[in-house]
Amino acid sequence: MVKTPRLTESASAVFAVLAGAGTATRPQLASLAGLSKPTVSSAVVELESARLAAHSGTSSSGTGRTAAVYRLGPAAGAVLAVDLGPARTRVRGCGLDGTLLAEATGAREAAADVVREALDTLPADAPLRAIVVAVGDVTAPRKEGGMRPATAKAGPLFDAMAVALPPGVPVHLENNVNCAALAELHQGAARGRHTFGYLRIGVGIGLGIVVGGRVLRGANGAAGELARLPYPWDDGREPRQEALEEYIGARSLLRRAAAAWRDADGPCPRTADQLFALAGGGHAAARAVVARHASDVGRLAAAVTAVLDPGLIVLGGSTGADPQLLPGVRAELGRLSWPTEVVSSTVGDLGTVVGAARLAVSRGVQTVTEAAGAKD
């Protein structure tokens, strides 16, 4: 890992502002950072000497004056975001201003190769500042330092992928649903909403909780682990761990479709995509199965609303994001709870890696600026 130069507090502040803005003039940097123009000028000189900022042209004002425009320099570096999804591995490399530099996708089992492909695409002179890995699990600190999936759910895949990560670069783990919730917050269906729930329904289930613009992780990092809700909860039946996820997940959805299908209905769908395509085309049996699924998701949304009162629920995931669910979810939620807006995800399958990349950029900027004040 490339050693980050120690910055003055003012240079650190200007660097963070420049990373967020992408490009800016010195007057703009002064306004955004809340610093005087002479202080910003000194900070820019410091950043340029460390190759953390670079001149990128000029801009003209209405008075005819020109001002130098700055961007991040080559030493600012890059970050890596990895989504270890249930079926696919997606990787993005970004500059610290969020610019997309590399992208790779492959099979879940080939996670290490997908990571290597993205790393090979990154600019050779860009130091890697941080790595964020999104996993379908709760994350926990290891005794020897760092983070690791807390259960066996994602642990083996993470270990197989980790061999491809360059040594010495900070690796941060985050729950995949939390990452997707961040993507919805900043560039998806929840833009402009500071409190909402992102309800993912697919192979598994999960909830990303955003309160006041921040993801709520909980004391054990397990906030939103809906699979642990007791189910079934009825006379004569004992709740089983993760039984609710088993009931609502895509595999059980297809089993219910198979049980309801008749010979006259034609070939039974083998995937959730096929089931929803048939329902969208007006197939009666498929529409009935999807309607029941919508009611089940609506009941889960009602449970979320009873606890959080989020005001907005964004439906995501391989089955949850399908707009065909919306009428049934809204109706069941309205029947069981108080009024809550329900919308479909707009970031789709890329939501997790997009959110992970945003976290990685934030971590990368922090890596550069955390030594601020050492020179003051």
Side-chain angles (χ1 to χ4, degrees):
M1 181 179 175
V2 176
K3 186 176 180 181
T4 305
R6 291 187 173 184
L7 300 175
T8 60
E9 187 174 351
S10 55
S12 173
V14 170
F15 179 85
V17 165
L18 186 57
T23 61
T25 63
R26 292 190 186 194
Q28 289 171 335
L29 291 171
S31 176
L32 291 169
L35 299 172
S36 68
K37 292 181 180 179
T39 300
V40 167
S41 294
S42 297
V44 169
V45 170
E46 181 181 344
L47 293 173
E48 284 188 294
S49 67
R51 301 177 68 242
L52 293 172
H55 185 268
S56 68
T58 58
S59 68
S60 299
S61 67
T63 62
R65 294 183 178 181
T66 61
V69 178
Y70 296 91
R71 56 173 172 78
L72 295 184
V79 296
L80 198 71
V82 183
D83 169 20
L84 295 179
R88 307 287 288 172
T89 296
R90 293 182 172 86
V91 184
R92 282 192 169 192
C94 297
L96 296 198
D97 59 357
T99 302
L100 182 63
L101 302 175
E103 200 166 20
T105 304
R108 171 184 171 89
E109 298 77 13
D113 293 333
V114 180
V115 169
R116 292 188 185 99
E117 180 184 344
L119 286 171
D120 290 343
T121 310
L122 288 175
D125 61 345
L128 196 59
R129 298 293 185 184
I131 300 168
V132 169
V133 181
V135 296
D137 198 357
V138 177
T139 61
R142 295 182 292 188
K143 292 181 180 179
E144 62 272 23
M147 300 288 289
R148 191 180 187 280
T151 73
K153 191 183 273 189
L157 180 62
F158 173 78
D159 293 340
M161 179 277 306
V163 300
L165 300 179
V169 181
V171 178
H172 310 276
L173 267 66
E174 182 57 89
N175 178 267
N176 57 358
V177 180
N178 288 345
C179 289
L182 285 172
E184 296 290 350
L185 171 66
H186 292 288
Q187 58 192 80
R191 278 181 295 184
R193 305 290 288 267
H194 299 292
T195 298
F196 68 95
Y198 170 78
L199 182 56
R200 173 175 281 183
I201 309 293
V203 175
I205 61 175
L207 177 69
I209 305 167
V210 176
V211 178
R214 300 175 66 88
V215 169
L216 180 66
R217 292 178 173 85
N220 297 295
E225 286 293 307
L226 297 180
R228 297 300 179 95
L229 283 174
Y231 179 87
W233 200 346
D234 198 1
D235 292 341
R237 295 197 293 175
E238 191 73 17
R240 294 180 290 106
Q241 192 176 82
E242 300 189 352
L244 181 59
E245 181 171 79
E246 180 183 335
Y247 172 75
I248 294 184
R251 294 185 184 93
S252 289
L253 173 63
L254 291 173
R255 283 195 293 268
R256 283 192 288 276
W261 223 256
R262 300 170 302 177
D263 292 341
D265 295 325
C268 184
R270 301 177 63 86
T271 68
D273 286 343
Q274 292 174 359
L275 173 65
F276 278 87
L278 286 171
H283 191 287
R287 291 184 65 181
V289 173
V290 168
R292 176 181 170 182
H293 189 55
S295 293
D296 288 336
V297 175
R299 292 165 189 170
L300 184 57
V304 169
T305 301
V307 175
L308 296 177
D309 186 22
L312 170 68
I313 291 179
V314 178
L315 296 179
S318 58
T319 64
D322 194 297
Q324 294 181 76
L325 291 184
L326 280 177
V329 172
R330 288 168 173 165
E332 191 69 358
L333 175 58
R335 183 178 75 85
L336 296 173
S337 192
W338 42 82
T340 301
E341 185 180 359
V342 183
V343 298
S344 298
S345 165
T346 59
V347 295
D349 293 341
L350 294 178
T352 296
V353 75
V354 167
R358 191 173 189 94
L359 278 176
V361 167
S362 177
R363 293 285 192 175
V365 171
Q366 182 182 352
T367 298
V368 175
T369 61
E370 63 187 0
K375 291 178 60 177
D376 288 343

